[in-house]
mmCIF file of all heavy atoms in Angstrom:
data_model
loop_
_atom_site.group_PDB
_atom_site.id
_atom_site.type_symbol
_atom_site.label_atom_id
_atom_site.label_comp_id
_atom_site.label_asym_id
_atom_site.label_seq_id
_atom_site.Cartn_x
_atom_site.Cartn_y
_atom_site.Cartn_z
ATOM 1 N N ASP A 102 1.192 -8.423 5.582
ATOM 2 C CA ASP A 102 0.883 -7.489 6.653
ATOM 3 C C ASP A 102 -0.352 -7.985 7.377
ATOM 4 O O ASP A 102 -1.394 -8.202 6.748
ATOM 5 C CB ASP A 102 0.643 -6.082 6.093
ATOM 6 C CG ASP A 102 0.593 -5.022 7.172
ATOM 7 O OD1 ASP A 102 -0.188 -5.199 8.139
ATOM 8 O OD2 ASP A 102 1.324 -4.037 7.074
ATOM 9 N N PRO A 103 -0.296 -8.164 8.704
ATOM 10 C CA PRO A 103 -1.413 -8.770 9.426
ATOM 11 C C PRO A 103 -2.714 -7.980 9.379
ATOM 12 O O PRO A 103 -3.767 -8.531 9.690
ATOM 13 C CB PRO A 103 -0.887 -8.908 10.856
ATOM 14 C CG PRO A 103 0.252 -7.945 10.961
ATOM 15 C CD PRO A 103 0.860 -7.896 9.600
ATOM 16 N N VAL A 104 -2.671 -6.700 9.017
ATOM 17 C CA VAL A 104 -3.917 -5.930 8.989
ATOM 18 C C VAL A 104 -4.468 -5.753 7.584
ATOM 19 O O VAL A 104 -5.545 -5.171 7.421
ATOM 20 C CB VAL A 104 -3.736 -4.541 9.644
ATOM 21 C CG1 VAL A 104 -3.322 -4.664 11.087
ATOM 22 C CG2 VAL A 104 -2.755 -3.681 8.854
ATOM 23 N N ALA A 105 -3.790 -6.230 6.548
ATOM 24 C CA ALA A 105 -4.204 -5.999 5.171
ATOM 25 C C ALA A 105 -4.756 -7.267 4.540
ATOM 26 O O ALA A 105 -4.185 -8.353 4.690
ATOM 27 C CB ALA A 105 -3.040 -5.474 4.341
ATOM 28 N N LEU A 106 -5.870 -7.163 3.818
ATOM 29 C CA LEU A 106 -6.435 -8.292 3.081
ATOM 30 C C LEU A 106 -5.476 -8.773 2.006
ATOM 31 O O LEU A 106 -5.234 -9.973 1.844
ATOM 32 C CB LEU A 106 -7.753 -7.897 2.436
ATOM 33 C CG LEU A 106 -8.964 -7.719 3.341
ATOM 34 C CD1 LEU A 106 -10.098 -7.050 2.588
ATOM 35 C CD2 LEU A 106 -9.420 -9.066 3.879
ATOM 36 N N GLY A 107 -4.962 -7.852 1.259
ATOM 37 C CA GLY A 107 -4.022 -8.164 0.186
ATOM 38 C C GLY A 107 -3.150 -6.956 -0.065
ATOM 39 O O GLY A 107 -3.543 -5.821 0.246
ATOM 40 N N THR A 108 -1.966 -7.194 -0.611
ATOM 41 C CA THR A 108 -1.026 -6.104 -0.869
ATOM 42 C C THR A 108 -0.391 -6.307 -2.232
ATOM 43 O O THR A 108 -0.011 -7.424 -2.596
ATOM 44 C CB THR A 108 0.080 -6.060 0.207
ATOM 45 O OG1 THR A 108 -0.517 -5.970 1.502
ATOM 46 C CG2 THR A 108 0.995 -4.855 -0.005
ATOM 47 N N VAL A 126 0.138 -10.331 -2.973
ATOM 48 C CA VAL A 126 0.118 -11.293 -1.878
ATOM 49 C C VAL A 126 -1.233 -11.199 -1.181
ATOM 50 O O VAL A 126 -1.607 -10.146 -0.676
ATOM 51 C CB VAL A 126 1.260 -11.037 -0.874
ATOM 52 C CG1 VAL A 126 1.207 -12.071 0.253
ATOM 53 C CG2 VAL A 126 2.615 -11.101 -1.576
ATOM 54 N N ILE A 127 -1.968 -12.311 -1.181
ATOM 55 C CA ILE A 127 -3.260 -12.382 -0.501
ATOM 56 C C ILE A 127 -3.056 -12.974 0.882
ATOM 57 O O ILE A 127 -2.464 -14.047 1.036
ATOM 58 C CB ILE A 127 -4.247 -13.267 -1.310
ATOM 59 C CG1 ILE A 127 -4.461 -12.681 -2.721
ATOM 60 C CG2 ILE A 127 -5.567 -13.389 -0.580
ATOM 61 C CD1 ILE A 127 -5.073 -11.298 -2.744
ATOM 62 N N ASN A 128 -3.531 -12.268 1.891
ATOM 63 C CA ASN A 128 -3.287 -12.639 3.287
ATOM 64 C C ASN A 128 -4.122 -13.861 3.670
ATOM 65 O O ASN A 128 -5.317 -13.764 3.936
ATOM 66 C CB ASN A 128 -3.619 -11.461 4.199
ATOM 67 C CG ASN A 128 -3.219 -11.691 5.642
ATOM 68 O OD1 ASN A 128 -3.050 -12.826 6.080
ATOM 69 N ND2 ASN A 128 -3.072 -10.609 6.387
ATOM 70 N N GLY A 129 -3.466 -15.017 3.690
ATOM 71 C CA GLY A 129 -4.127 -16.249 4.098
ATOM 72 C C GLY A 129 -3.896 -16.602 5.544
ATOM 73 O O GLY A 129 -4.323 -17.673 5.999
ATOM 74 N N TYR A 132 -7.021 -13.786 7.545
ATOM 75 C CA TYR A 132 -8.381 -13.694 7.009
ATOM 76 C C TYR A 132 -8.788 -15.017 6.393
ATOM 77 O O TYR A 132 -7.952 -15.755 5.878
ATOM 78 C CB TYR A 132 -8.480 -12.575 5.961
ATOM 79 C CG TYR A 132 -8.086 -11.220 6.490
ATOM 80 C CD1 TYR A 132 -6.794 -10.759 6.374
ATOM 81 C CD2 TYR A 132 -9.038 -10.425 7.121
ATOM 82 C CE1 TYR A 132 -6.425 -9.516 6.893
ATOM 83 C CE2 TYR A 132 -8.676 -9.182 7.636
ATOM 84 C CZ TYR A 132 -7.370 -8.737 7.509
ATOM 85 O OH TYR A 132 -7.020 -7.523 8.014
ATOM 86 N N GLU A 133 -10.089 -15.284 6.418
ATOM 87 C CA GLU A 133 -10.626 -16.489 5.793
ATOM 88 C C GLU A 133 -11.273 -16.132 4.462
ATOM 89 O O GLU A 133 -11.841 -15.043 4.300
ATOM 90 C CB GLU A 133 -11.649 -17.159 6.719
ATOM 91 C CG GLU A 133 -11.021 -17.681 8.019
ATOM 92 C CD GLU A 133 -11.996 -18.493 8.836
ATOM 93 O OE1 GLU A 133 -13.172 -18.640 8.421
ATOM 94 O OE2 GLU A 133 -11.588 -19.001 9.902
ATOM 95 N N TRP A 134 -11.225 -17.082 3.514
ATOM 96 C CA TRP A 134 -11.592 -16.793 2.131
ATOM 97 C C TRP A 134 -12.626 -17.774 1.597
ATOM 98 O O TRP A 134 -12.713 -18.912 2.044
ATOM 99 C CB TRP A 134 -10.336 -16.810 1.252
ATOM 100 C CG TRP A 134 -9.353 -15.759 1.663
ATOM 101 C CD1 TRP A 134 -8.374 -15.870 2.607
ATOM 102 C CD2 TRP A 134 -9.316 -14.419 1.187
ATOM 103 N NE1 TRP A 134 -7.707 -14.683 2.747
ATOM 104 C CE2 TRP A 134 -8.249 -13.773 1.882
ATOM 105 C CE3 TRP A 134 -10.039 -13.698 0.236
ATOM 106 C CZ2 TRP A 134 -7.929 -12.441 1.656
ATOM 107 C CZ3 TRP A 134 -9.706 -12.380 0.001
ATOM 108 C CH2 TRP A 134 -8.671 -11.762 0.707
ATOM 109 N N TYR A 145 -14.092 -13.549 3.026
ATOM 110 C CA TYR A 145 -13.894 -12.598 1.937
ATOM 111 C C TYR A 145 -13.823 -13.342 0.615
ATOM 112 O O TYR A 145 -13.231 -14.429 0.519
ATOM 113 C CB TYR A 145 -12.617 -11.780 2.162
ATOM 114 C CG TYR A 145 -12.740 -10.814 3.311
ATOM 115 C CD1 TYR A 145 -12.357 -11.190 4.600
ATOM 116 C CD2 TYR A 145 -13.244 -9.540 3.118
ATOM 117 C CE1 TYR A 145 -12.476 -10.310 5.675
ATOM 118 C CE2 TYR A 145 -13.379 -8.652 4.169
ATOM 119 C CZ TYR A 145 -12.989 -9.042 5.447
ATOM 120 O OH TYR A 145 -13.135 -8.172 6.496
ATOM 121 N N ILE A 150 -11.361 -9.620 -4.255
ATOM 122 C CA ILE A 150 -10.142 -8.945 -3.825
ATOM 123 C C ILE A 150 -9.069 -9.002 -4.904
ATOM 124 O O ILE A 150 -8.335 -8.040 -5.130
ATOM 125 C CB ILE A 150 -9.637 -9.546 -2.508
ATOM 126 C CG1 ILE A 150 -10.694 -9.416 -1.409
ATOM 127 C CG2 ILE A 150 -8.339 -8.879 -2.066
ATOM 128 C CD1 ILE A 150 -11.152 -8.005 -1.138
ATOM 129 N N GLU A 154 -6.841 -5.963 -6.548
ATOM 130 C CA GLU A 154 -5.379 -5.924 -6.553
ATOM 131 C C GLU A 154 -4.815 -5.965 -7.981
ATOM 132 O O GLU A 154 -3.762 -5.391 -8.249
ATOM 133 C CB GLU A 154 -4.833 -7.089 -5.731
ATOM 134 C CG GLU A 154 -5.206 -7.050 -4.250
ATOM 135 C CD GLU A 154 -4.721 -5.790 -3.544
ATOM 136 O OE1 GLU A 154 -3.650 -5.265 -3.928
ATOM 137 O OE2 GLU A 154 -5.406 -5.326 -2.613
ATOM 138 N N SER A 175 -12.592 -0.356 -0.254
ATOM 139 C CA SER A 175 -13.308 -1.008 0.836
ATOM 140 C C SER A 175 -13.848 -2.327 0.320
ATOM 141 O O SER A 175 -14.321 -2.417 -0.820
ATOM 142 C CB SER A 175 -14.463 -0.134 1.320
ATOM 143 O OG SER A 175 -15.256 -0.836 2.245
ATOM 144 N N ALA A 176 -13.764 -3.356 1.140
ATOM 145 C CA ALA A 176 -14.290 -4.656 0.763
ATOM 146 C C ALA A 176 -14.867 -5.331 1.992
ATOM 147 O O ALA A 176 -14.137 -5.618 2.938
ATOM 148 C CB ALA A 176 -13.204 -5.517 0.156
ATOM 149 N N GLY A 177 -16.148 -5.552 1.984
ATOM 150 C CA GLY A 177 -16.788 -6.222 3.103
ATOM 151 C C GLY A 177 -16.775 -7.728 2.928
ATOM 152 O O GLY A 177 -16.510 -8.251 1.832
ATOM 153 N N THR A 267 -7.454 -1.183 2.390
ATOM 154 C CA THR A 267 -8.413 -1.716 3.347
ATOM 155 C C THR A 267 -7.646 -2.413 4.459
ATOM 156 O O THR A 267 -6.855 -3.320 4.210
ATOM 157 C CB THR A 267 -9.356 -2.715 2.655
ATOM 158 O OG1 THR A 267 -10.056 -2.047 1.603
ATOM 159 C CG2 THR A 267 -10.367 -3.265 3.640
ATOM 160 N N LEU A 268 -7.878 -1.976 5.690
ATOM 161 C CA LEU A 268 -7.124 -2.478 6.835
ATOM 162 C C LEU A 268 -8.058 -2.961 7.923
ATOM 163 O O LEU A 268 -9.149 -2.420 8.100
ATOM 164 C CB LEU A 268 -6.240 -1.363 7.412
ATOM 165 C CG LEU A 268 -5.287 -0.641 6.465
ATOM 166 C CD1 LEU A 268 -4.604 0.510 7.181
ATOM 167 C CD2 LEU A 268 -4.251 -1.601 5.893
ATOM 168 N N LEU A 269 -7.621 -3.975 8.656
ATOM 169 C CA LEU A 269 -8.336 -4.391 9.838
ATOM 170 C C LEU A 269 -8.235 -3.269 10.875
ATOM 171 O O LEU A 269 -7.143 -2.816 11.216
ATOM 172 C CB LEU A 269 -7.727 -5.669 10.411
ATOM 173 C CG LEU A 269 -8.302 -6.133 11.762
ATOM 174 C CD1 LEU A 269 -9.750 -6.551 11.625
ATOM 175 C CD2 LEU A 269 -7.442 -7.250 12.335
ATOM 176 N N THR A 390 -11.893 -1.932 8.424
ATOM 177 C CA THR A 390 -12.938 -2.936 8.469
ATOM 178 C C THR A 390 -12.852 -3.717 9.773
ATOM 179 O O THR A 390 -11.773 -3.981 10.283
ATOM 180 C CB THR A 390 -12.845 -3.885 7.263
ATOM 181 O OG1 THR A 390 -13.921 -4.838 7.314
ATOM 182 C CG2 THR A 390 -11.519 -4.631 7.241
#
Side-chain angles (χ1 to χ4, degrees):
D102 191 307
V104 299
L106 287 168
T108 305
V126 180
I127 300 298
N128 188 339
Y132 302 93
E133 295 188 359
W134 298 87
Y145 290 91
I150 300 303
E154 297 301 327
S175 172
T267 301
L268 306 174
L269 173 67
T390 182

